[in-house]
Amino acid sequence: MTTARTRGTRISKAVIPAAGLGTRFLPATKATPKEMLPVVDKPAIQYVVEEAVAAGLSDVLMVTGRNKRPLEDHFDRNYELEEVLRGKGDEDRLSRVQESSDLATMHYVRQGDPKGLGHAVLCAAPHVGEQPFAVLLGDDLIDPRDPLLMRMTEIQEEHGGSVIALMEVDPSQSHLYGCAAVESTDVDDVVRVTGLVEKPSPGEAPSNLAIIGRYVLDPAVFEVLGKTKPGRGGEIQLTDALQTLAAEPTLGGPVHGVVFRGRRYDTGDRADYLRAIVRLACEREDLGPDFRAWLRSYVSEEM
């Protein structure tokens, strides 16, 4: 039984699927990966890698596609730029430039065909091997003051199997997410997942608990994904594989959910992307005071 094998195993690897085309942000993403769009003064993808590292996951595999070379360049050294900054004595900017290349041990693999999130995760199998691992989607930024991923790894190490992040949403928004059927446990923020539905039709969601872009997965998911047929949108859906694991715990242990009630910034939608920038800028010590004052003045004038 897979549960016994993975319970208590220390998780060290994170997988970040980053092969999407970013069509919702065209034309900005015509030549620039959507993951490189700045959120204040850092690309969105750096926030995600920082989150993985903060949770103790220092080995990061990024699943990329065509035109994603800037992702690799961002997490690599830029000796010419560093020398220019060092020559100017600009230690502050030099430190910020070096920060991204020193974050984690980075690896990359290409997803040759855009066959969906499940296929992207399957591309990570040779690197991950036979150990549990985390998956972080770049569209969801989790505030570092709310250590969701660390909580998820704790639950996985305690119970084995897989753990998914869930968030309460308005029923009118359920069709935008994968939604979970759950059973309560004796822990307030932890549920047992009994079923999953990818983007249910209005009124057909099993609950108001939606999957957000954080997963801690048992390696048994690879075998299930390998047998999963294309689902919604003609793609191999990770949700379908997790539904199989939830229905058959003997395949890879139980599936639990952590109900997240913290701060989440959605950068996958243009309006939410702008909101994320405003929120994060307002909370920055170096930018916040002046920016908040300007924002109050601007809103007051417009109202």
Side-chain angles (χ1 to χ4, degrees):
M1 187 172 177
T2 308
T3 307
R5 178 166 55 83
T6 61
R7 182 185 293 129
T9 302
R10 182 63 186 166
I11 300 166
S12 63
K13 294 184 177 181
V15 175
I16 302 177
L21 296 176
T23 53
R24 286 181 290 180
F25 280 84
L26 287 170
T29 50
K30 179 181 178 181
T32 301
K34 67 172 183 175
E35 297 84 4
M36 290 299 296
L37 295 178
V39 180
V40 189
D41 55 4
K42 288 191 295 189
I45 193 68
Q46 184 170 332
Y47 290 89
V48 179
V49 174
E50 288 173 349
E51 180 188 350
V53 172
L57 313 181
S58 58
D59 185 312
V60 178
L61 175 69
M62 205 166 289
V63 184
T64 67
R66 292 184 61 193
N67 302 322
K68 298 287 185 169
R69 181 62 185 271
L71 293 172
E72 298 185 33
D73 290 342
H74 179 71
F75 292 101
D76 198 0
R77 299 293 297 274
N78 187 328
Y79 293 102
E80 294 83 357
L81 177 58
E82 290 178 22
E83 283 303 312
V84 169
L85 295 172
R86 189 175 288 110
K88 292 181 176 180
D90 195 339
E91 296 298 324
D92 180 55
R93 287 188 174 87
L94 177 61
S95 175
R96 281 185 277 167
V97 166
Q98 292 175 330
E99 182 181 10
S100 59
S101 57
D102 296 336
L103 270 174
T105 302
M106 302 295 298
H107 308 271
Y108 304 90
V109 64
R110 284 279 187 98
Q111 183 186 12
D113 297 313
K115 296 180 180 178
L117 176 58
H119 180 259
V121 172
L122 189 56
C123 291
H127 180 79
V128 169
E130 292 295 317
Q131 58 181 293
F133 63 103
V135 174
L136 299 87
L137 304 190
D139 288 346
D140 284 323
L141 304 188
I142 304 299
D143 194 292
R145 293 168 294 184
D146 300 309
L148 169 62
L149 189 58
M150 189 176 296
R151 175 62 172 153
M152 293 173 68
T153 60
E154 291 172 354
I155 298 302
Q156 199 283 331
E157 289 167 9
E158 179 180 355
H159 296 285
S162 298
V163 182
I164 62 178
L166 300 172
M167 179 184 69
E168 295 177 346
V169 298
D170 188 279
S172 66
Q173 300 296 306
S174 296
H175 68 285
L176 301 174
Y177 299 87
C179 292
V182 303
E183 296 174 348
S184 60
T185 70
D186 56 359
V187 181
D188 178 62
D189 66 336
V190 178
V191 294
R192 175 74 177 264
V193 177
T194 59
L196 294 162
V197 180
E198 178 65 20
K199 295 182 179 178
S201 300
E204 295 184 4
S207 74
N208 70 331
L209 291 175
I211 306 170
I212 58 176
R214 297 295 181 269
Y215 309 81
V216 177
L217 302 177
D218 186 279
V221 74
F222 293 130
E223 183 177 353
V224 176
L225 282 169
K227 299 175 182 178
T228 299
K229 296 180 179 179
R232 192 179 184 92
E235 298 180 336
I236 298 174
Q237 298 289 347
L238 179 59
T239 302
D240 292 343
L242 288 168
Q243 160 63 25
T244 299
L245 291 174
E248 296 289 342
T250 56
L251 293 176
V255 178
H256 285 89
V258 170
V259 181
F260 181 62
R261 299 183 177 93
R263 289 155 284 203
R264 166 181 174 259
Y265 311 106
D266 183 357
T267 62
D269 173 82
R270 289 174 299 173
D272 284 338
Y273 169 75
L274 294 174
R275 294 186 191 103
I277 292 174
V278 171
R279 288 172 182 167
L280 289 170
C282 284
E283 295 178 358
R284 287 270 294 262
E285 291 183 3
D286 56 338
L287 298 173
D290 288 343
F291 185 69
R292 289 194 300 270
W294 173 85
L295 191 61
R296 281 192 291 267
S297 174
Y298 174 76
V299 171
S300 178
E301 290 173 4
E302 289 299 307
M303 298 279 291

